[in-house]
Amino acid sequence: MTEATTELLTTNDGRPLKAALATAQARAKRRAFLLVLPLLVFVLLTFLVPIGYMLKRSVEHDGFSRSSPTLTEWFQANPSFDHLNPPEEAYAALVKDLAEMQATKNTGMAGTRINYTVPGSISLFKKGAREAADMQPPYKEAMLTLDPAWGAPELWYAMESASSELTTDFYKVAADRKLTETGWERGDDKQRIYLYLFFKTFLVSGIITVICLLLAFPVAHLLAVLPLSKASLLMILVLLPFWTSLLVRTTAWIALLQEQGIVNDALVGLGILSDENRLSMMYNMTGTIVAMTHVLLPFMILPLYSVMKVIPPSYARAARSLGATSWTTFRRVYLPQTLPGIAAGSLLVFILAVGYYITPALVGGAEGQLISNLISFHMSKSNWSLAAALAAMLLIAILALYWIYDRLIGIDRLKLG
């Protein structure tokens, strides 16, 4: 049927058929959009908005700039001043702002902002604010007499950086850099905790992913080749952890793995261990890996099973009939067809492991803590902006993993079961 013929056709009410079809399609699209609109609003409010706010907090902090307008204006007018020897005008602006802070009770806000990059600044600001109103020129000499720390170059670097509402200071701190007399530099090895925790988190997540893959592969294969009735029964056992509270499962591992727990008692009872040589498997990295492997194992089994289930058994029989050994058949025929499931399961388990918080907090102790635990600490008790910077760095790493997966495997081949 040609387009001209379509134009001649009409509906029962006399409208052209082409126009009626276009109207029906538009109505169907509006109906589909309205159906998914609640989900879009939910995702926007609970996912995109919090992430956007987190990214904003990681680069924005007006605690000092809002409390120190005079010094902020001086920094903008003198971007190349000598941090080792600030002039009298800079101290005059500082004294004026400190006096105003004391009057408006904003000293803590400004001092806290500087304290994020130069520890100990809060007490310095409070001490200076109490004396600022009574100070007389020359202000530089008066401030240095009050406390020589006011002449520290790193303090002036910090105040200059904090004079802007937008800052990258928190990302620098998250990258284990610290302010010195010459500006931002790499911190000492003993002070480099954030990058170490990032490396530790990714290493532990990789170990857990490999263990899950080794344990899940034979289980998924068994589920794929068994008759449906038996496979369904075993699938219930695989899904059973999803029906149990994460807190309950983690607490159960504490009862199993602690030094006076079931596993150690069994080993002592069998004579394998003496009572004095019980294994330390709890409140360390061993407990974290064991508990997280148990929690994340189903997330590896299901993608593998979804791929293995649709692999025709005739492929393996054909390979054997042509003289291939069992190992050759597995390596060259079966394994390549499971790669989308392996990649999807590994990606899912790794990303979940990177962001896990409850399990390391309960069973890891000080040794088994991951970057998520430090983010939680800063968010609840210390520095919200630093927590946001650490979380943003973690988010960027996860997005990089998605990009690598898309380049190597293809996101369209993602099979999660």
Side-chain angles (χ1 to χ4, degrees), residues 53 55 58-59 103 110 130 146 148 174 197 218 262 279 283 290 309 315 319 336 352 354 367 383 390 410:
Y53 181 70
L55 294 175
S58 68
V59 296
R130 287 193 298 267
L146 178 65
L197 267 181
I262 298 173
L279 298 176
Y283 307 118
V290 171
K309 186 64 178 177
Y315 289 0
L352 289 174
V354 164
E367 181 185 337
N383 184 349
L390 291 169

mmCIF file of all heavy atoms in Angstrom, residues 53 55 58-59 103 110 130 146 148 174 197 218 262 279 283 290 309 315 319 336 352 354 367 383 390 410:
data_model
loop_
_atom_site.group_PDB
_atom_site.id
_atom_site.type_symbol
_atom_site.label_atom_id
_atom_site.label_comp_id
_atom_site.label_asym_id
_atom_site.label_seq_id
_atom_site.Cartn_x
_atom_site.Cartn_y
_atom_site.Cartn_z
ATOM 1 N N TYR A 53 23.500 16.534 45.081
ATOM 2 C CA TYR A 53 23.801 17.283 46.303
ATOM 3 C C TYR A 53 25.155 16.865 46.874
ATOM 4 O O TYR A 53 25.918 17.709 47.351
ATOM 5 C CB TYR A 53 22.698 17.048 47.329
ATOM 6 C CG TYR A 53 22.901 17.794 48.624
ATOM 7 C CD1 TYR A 53 22.768 19.177 48.686
ATOM 8 C CD2 TYR A 53 23.235 17.112 49.788
ATOM 9 C CE1 TYR A 53 22.957 19.860 49.868
ATOM 10 C CE2 TYR A 53 23.435 17.787 50.984
ATOM 11 C CZ TYR A 53 23.297 19.163 51.014
ATOM 12 O OH TYR A 53 23.497 19.838 52.192
ATOM 13 N N LEU A 55 27.748 15.686 45.150
ATOM 14 C CA LEU A 55 28.795 16.265 44.309
ATOM 15 C C LEU A 55 28.958 17.759 44.582
ATOM 16 O O LEU A 55 30.070 18.285 44.573
ATOM 17 C CB LEU A 55 28.462 16.028 42.838
ATOM 18 C CG LEU A 55 28.475 14.561 42.374
ATOM 19 C CD1 LEU A 55 28.007 14.460 40.927
ATOM 20 C CD2 LEU A 55 29.855 13.953 42.528
ATOM 21 N N SER A 58 30.889 18.343 47.810
ATOM 22 C CA SER A 58 32.311 17.983 47.726
ATOM 23 C C SER A 58 33.174 19.124 47.204
ATOM 24 O O SER A 58 34.393 19.109 47.380
ATOM 25 C CB SER A 58 32.496 16.749 46.838
ATOM 26 O OG SER A 58 32.206 17.046 45.485
ATOM 27 N N VAL A 59 32.565 20.109 46.534
ATOM 28 C CA VAL A 59 33.339 21.221 45.978
ATOM 29 C C VAL A 59 32.861 22.574 46.496
ATOM 30 O O VAL A 59 33.340 23.611 46.030
ATOM 31 C CB VAL A 59 33.272 21.216 44.430
ATOM 32 C CG1 VAL A 59 33.916 19.966 43.870
ATOM 33 C CG2 VAL A 59 31.827 21.339 43.945
ATOM 34 N N ALA A 103 31.562 38.956 67.357
ATOM 35 C CA ALA A 103 30.290 39.643 67.607
ATOM 36 C C ALA A 103 29.105 38.847 67.073
ATOM 37 O O ALA A 103 28.026 38.845 67.676
ATOM 38 C CB ALA A 103 30.317 41.032 66.979
ATOM 39 N N ALA A 110 34.054 29.504 60.758
ATOM 40 C CA ALA A 110 35.259 29.802 59.985
ATOM 41 C C ALA A 110 36.420 28.918 60.410
ATOM 42 O O ALA A 110 37.161 28.388 59.571
ATOM 43 C CB ALA A 110 35.622 31.276 60.150
ATOM 44 N N ARG A 130 38.671 36.357 70.332
ATOM 45 C CA ARG A 130 38.452 36.943 71.662
ATOM 46 C C ARG A 130 39.286 38.193 71.873
ATOM 47 O O ARG A 130 38.886 39.112 72.600
ATOM 48 C CB ARG A 130 38.775 35.905 72.744
ATOM 49 C CG ARG A 130 37.744 34.808 72.865
ATOM 50 C CD ARG A 130 37.956 34.024 74.155
ATOM 51 N NE ARG A 130 39.253 33.362 74.183
ATOM 52 C CZ ARG A 130 39.484 32.112 73.796
ATOM 53 N NH1 ARG A 130 38.461 31.380 73.326
ATOM 54 N NH2 ARG A 130 40.681 31.574 73.863
ATOM 55 N N LEU A 146 50.349 37.350 69.834
ATOM 56 C CA LEU A 146 49.282 36.541 70.428
ATOM 57 C C LEU A 146 49.537 35.069 70.211
ATOM 58 O O LEU A 146 49.409 34.255 71.144
ATOM 59 C CB LEU A 146 47.929 36.942 69.831
ATOM 60 C CG LEU A 146 46.704 36.151 70.308
ATOM 61 C CD1 LEU A 146 46.460 36.404 71.794
ATOM 62 C CD2 LEU A 146 45.485 36.527 69.481
ATOM 63 N N PRO A 148 52.287 32.749 67.439
ATOM 64 C CA PRO A 148 53.127 32.703 66.223
ATOM 65 C C PRO A 148 52.520 31.864 65.108
ATOM 66 O O PRO A 148 52.927 32.001 63.942
ATOM 67 C CB PRO A 148 54.433 32.075 66.744
ATOM 68 C CG PRO A 148 54.443 32.345 68.207
ATOM 69 C CD PRO A 148 53.007 32.307 68.641
ATOM 70 N N ALA A 174 41.349 14.074 50.303
ATOM 71 C CA ALA A 174 40.978 12.688 50.015
ATOM 72 C C ALA A 174 42.064 11.959 49.239
ATOM 73 O O ALA A 174 42.130 10.727 49.270
ATOM 74 C CB ALA A 174 39.666 12.647 49.235
ATOM 75 N N LEU A 197 43.102 3.042 51.875
ATOM 76 C CA LEU A 197 41.804 2.405 52.059
ATOM 77 C C LEU A 197 41.106 2.152 50.721
ATOM 78 O O LEU A 197 40.421 1.145 50.562
ATOM 79 C CB LEU A 197 40.920 3.270 52.959
ATOM 80 C CG LEU A 197 40.965 2.948 54.452
ATOM 81 C CD1 LEU A 197 40.022 3.858 55.218
ATOM 82 C CD2 LEU A 197 40.615 1.496 54.712
ATOM 83 N N PRO A 218 30.420 -23.835 39.533
ATOM 84 C CA PRO A 218 29.884 -25.211 39.553
ATOM 85 C C PRO A 218 28.435 -25.288 40.023
ATOM 86 O O PRO A 218 27.673 -26.129 39.553
ATOM 87 C CB PRO A 218 30.825 -25.948 40.507
ATOM 88 C CG PRO A 218 31.485 -24.891 41.318
ATOM 89 C CD PRO A 218 31.564 -23.699 40.447
ATOM 90 N N ILE A 262 31.337 -21.540 67.074
ATOM 91 C CA ILE A 262 31.034 -22.927 66.709
ATOM 92 C C ILE A 262 32.176 -23.572 65.938
ATOM 93 O O ILE A 262 32.537 -24.727 66.187
ATOM 94 C CB ILE A 262 29.728 -22.969 65.895
ATOM 95 C CG1 ILE A 262 28.571 -22.451 66.744
ATOM 96 C CG2 ILE A 262 29.435 -24.374 65.386
ATOM 97 C CD1 ILE A 262 27.279 -22.292 65.997
ATOM 98 N N LEU A 279 41.644 -20.245 66.138
ATOM 99 C CA LEU A 279 41.825 -19.365 64.989
ATOM 100 C C LEU A 279 41.142 -18.017 65.221
ATOM 101 O O LEU A 279 40.032 -17.964 65.745
ATOM 102 C CB LEU A 279 41.251 -20.016 63.729
ATOM 103 C CG LEU A 279 41.899 -21.335 63.292
ATOM 104 C CD1 LEU A 279 41.168 -21.903 62.086
ATOM 105 C CD2 LEU A 279 43.374 -21.137 62.975
ATOM 106 N N TYR A 283 36.527 -10.050 63.511
ATOM 107 C CA TYR A 283 37.025 -8.706 63.731
ATOM 108 C C TYR A 283 38.385 -8.488 63.079
ATOM 109 O O TYR A 283 39.283 -7.869 63.630
ATOM 110 C CB TYR A 283 37.080 -8.383 65.228
ATOM 111 C CG TYR A 283 35.761 -8.632 65.912
ATOM 112 C CD1 TYR A 283 35.644 -9.584 66.924
ATOM 113 C CD2 TYR A 283 34.610 -7.960 65.500
ATOM 114 C CE1 TYR A 283 34.415 -9.833 67.534
ATOM 115 C CE2 TYR A 283 33.391 -8.212 66.090
ATOM 116 C CZ TYR A 283 33.295 -9.144 67.105
ATOM 117 O OH TYR A 283 32.089 -9.400 67.689
ATOM 118 N N VAL A 290 34.893 -13.623 54.501
ATOM 119 C CA VAL A 290 33.994 -14.774 54.614
ATOM 120 C C VAL A 290 32.541 -14.318 54.616
ATOM 121 O O VAL A 290 31.697 -14.852 53.868
ATOM 122 C CB VAL A 290 34.318 -15.579 55.886
ATOM 123 C CG1 VAL A 290 33.249 -16.645 56.138
ATOM 124 C CG2 VAL A 290 35.683 -16.240 55.767
ATOM 125 N N LYS A 309 21.836 -21.731 31.325
ATOM 126 C CA LYS A 309 20.584 -22.426 31.080
ATOM 127 C C LYS A 309 20.244 -22.493 29.600
ATOM 128 O O LYS A 309 19.600 -23.458 29.144
ATOM 129 C CB LYS A 309 19.453 -21.736 31.857
ATOM 130 C CG LYS A 309 18.118 -22.464 31.800
ATOM 131 C CD LYS A 309 18.197 -23.818 32.470
ATOM 132 C CE LYS A 309 16.854 -24.523 32.468
ATOM 133 N NZ LYS A 309 16.934 -25.879 33.068
ATOM 134 N N TYR A 315 26.037 -28.720 21.760
ATOM 135 C CA TYR A 315 27.340 -28.174 21.397
ATOM 136 C C TYR A 315 28.464 -29.015 21.997
ATOM 137 O O TYR A 315 29.437 -29.331 21.323
ATOM 138 C CB TYR A 315 27.465 -26.730 21.890
ATOM 139 C CG TYR A 315 26.612 -25.736 21.156
ATOM 140 C CD1 TYR A 315 25.789 -26.125 20.106
ATOM 141 C CD2 TYR A 315 26.615 -24.389 21.501
ATOM 142 C CE1 TYR A 315 24.998 -25.209 19.430
ATOM 143 C CE2 TYR A 315 25.827 -23.460 20.826
ATOM 144 C CZ TYR A 315 25.018 -23.887 19.796
ATOM 145 O OH TYR A 315 24.239 -22.976 19.128
ATOM 146 N N ALA A 319 31.243 -31.445 20.068
ATOM 147 C CA ALA A 319 32.693 -31.299 20.239
ATOM 148 C C ALA A 319 33.337 -32.624 20.607
ATOM 149 O O ALA A 319 34.406 -32.976 20.078
ATOM 150 C CB ALA A 319 32.968 -30.246 21.309
ATOM 151 N N PRO A 336 33.526 -20.003 26.675
ATOM 152 C CA PRO A 336 33.292 -18.744 25.958
ATOM 153 C C PRO A 336 31.830 -18.304 25.948
ATOM 154 O O PRO A 336 31.549 -17.108 25.943
ATOM 155 C CB PRO A 336 33.786 -19.056 24.533
ATOM 156 C CG PRO A 336 34.792 -20.143 24.715
ATOM 157 C CD PRO A 336 34.262 -20.981 25.842
ATOM 158 N N LEU A 352 28.985 -4.145 44.338
ATOM 159 C CA LEU A 352 28.316 -4.264 45.629
ATOM 160 C C LEU A 352 29.333 -4.363 46.763
ATOM 161 O O LEU A 352 29.149 -3.782 47.834
ATOM 162 C CB LEU A 352 27.395 -5.482 45.633
ATOM 163 C CG LEU A 352 26.132 -5.375 44.762
ATOM 164 C CD1 LEU A 352 25.397 -6.714 44.745
ATOM 165 C CD2 LEU A 352 25.214 -4.281 45.269
ATOM 166 N N VAL A 354 32.399 -3.154 46.828
ATOM 167 C CA VAL A 354 33.092 -1.877 47.022
ATOM 168 C C VAL A 354 32.308 -0.960 47.951
ATOM 169 O O VAL A 354 32.888 -0.248 48.771
ATOM 170 C CB VAL A 354 33.325 -1.200 45.650
ATOM 171 C CG1 VAL A 354 33.674 0.265 45.833
ATOM 172 C CG2 VAL A 354 34.449 -1.909 44.907
ATOM 173 N N GLU A 367 40.758 -3.761 61.529
ATOM 174 C CA GLU A 367 41.531 -4.263 60.399
ATOM 175 C C GLU A 367 40.673 -4.475 59.157
ATOM 176 O O GLU A 367 41.145 -4.337 58.037
ATOM 177 C CB GLU A 367 42.205 -5.583 60.790
ATOM 178 C CG GLU A 367 43.057 -6.190 59.680
ATOM 179 C CD GLU A 367 43.611 -7.550 60.064
ATOM 180 O OE1 GLU A 367 43.713 -7.826 61.286
ATOM 181 O OE2 GLU A 367 43.934 -8.332 59.160
ATOM 182 N N ASN A 383 33.442 15.409 58.855
ATOM 183 C CA ASN A 383 33.508 16.382 57.768
ATOM 184 C C ASN A 383 32.612 15.925 56.628
ATOM 185 O O ASN A 383 32.970 15.026 55.867
ATOM 186 C CB ASN A 383 34.957 16.525 57.294
ATOM 187 C CG ASN A 383 35.123 17.594 56.243
ATOM 188 O OD1 ASN A 383 34.164 18.110 55.700
ATOM 189 N ND2 ASN A 383 36.371 17.927 55.952
ATOM 190 N N LEU A 390 35.103 11.824 49.070
ATOM 191 C CA LEU A 390 35.462 10.406 49.030
ATOM 192 C C LEU A 390 34.399 9.600 48.281
ATOM 193 O O LEU A 390 34.722 8.719 47.472
ATOM 194 C CB LEU A 390 35.628 9.868 50.452
ATOM 195 C CG LEU A 390 36.828 10.381 51.241
ATOM 196 C CD1 LEU A 390 36.715 9.972 52.710
ATOM 197 C CD2 LEU A 390 38.124 9.845 50.646
ATOM 198 N N GLY A 410 30.543 -5.127 26.387
ATOM 199 C CA GLY A 410 29.367 -4.508 25.782
ATOM 200 C C GLY A 410 28.213 -4.517 26.773
ATOM 201 O O GLY A 410 27.806 -5.584 27.256
#
